[in-house]
Amino acid sequence: MRLALAESERAALSGDVPVGAVVLDGAGVPLATGHNERELTGDPTAHAEVLAIRRAAERLGGWRLAECTLVVTLEPCTMCAGAITQSRVARVVYGARDEKAGAAGSLWDVVRDRRLNHRPEVIAGVLEKECAAVLTEFFRER
């Protein structure tokens, strides 16, 4: 999570909401990182999770991330939850809950919906206070 927090700081430098993500392989070795780049690139899909998933798939040479863990500072939204499900990520670890748009247990629970063919393990609240503080400070300054 500390690596994801460092990525979140990179997002804030470009005026993006400070969310960072890391994809780890089955042994816990970082494969790819990402941070929000919507403002930087003008791409509405440039969320930290999506970018990290894309980069991990490219590095592995395939779209199935079945043994991977996604670590992200903020609970994934519905778009990111869909990307997590479609990429077959094994585990999602997130820091701060997102009561307004969270799709891993807060507002929705897309990633664990029994109607879907893949449901990753979800671990919530890792370094939650630190992750929430980064977001709170960003929005306070705006």
Side-chain angles (χ1 to χ4, degrees), residues 42-136:
D43 178 357
T45 68
H47 286 203
E49 301 95 310
V50 171
L51 296 173
I53 287 169
R54 286 177 185 163
R55 292 169 184 153
E58 183 177 340
R59 183 159 179 201
L60 291 174
W63 62 269
R64 289 178 184 88
L65 305 181
E67 295 181 11
C68 295
T69 298
L70 173 70
V71 180
V72 61
T73 58
L74 180 65
E75 179 181 359
C77 69
T78 53
M79 177 183 68
C80 294
I84 290 163
T85 301
Q86 292 299 313
S87 64
R88 309 298 194 265
V89 166
R91 181 177 305 102
V92 177
V93 177
Y94 72 84
R97 292 173 53 90
D98 187 347
E99 299 293 338
K100 294 181 181 178
S106 292
L107 187 57
W108 296 287
D109 202 352
V110 172
V111 295
R112 291 180 286 205
D113 190 316
R114 293 196 180 279
R115 295 169 292 184
L116 299 175
N117 65 337
H118 177 74
R119 292 177 298 280
E121 175 186 6
V122 176
I123 300 170
V126 175
L127 296 181
E128 183 173 15
K129 289 180 182 178
E130 291 92 330
C131 293
V134 170
L135 291 158
T136 299

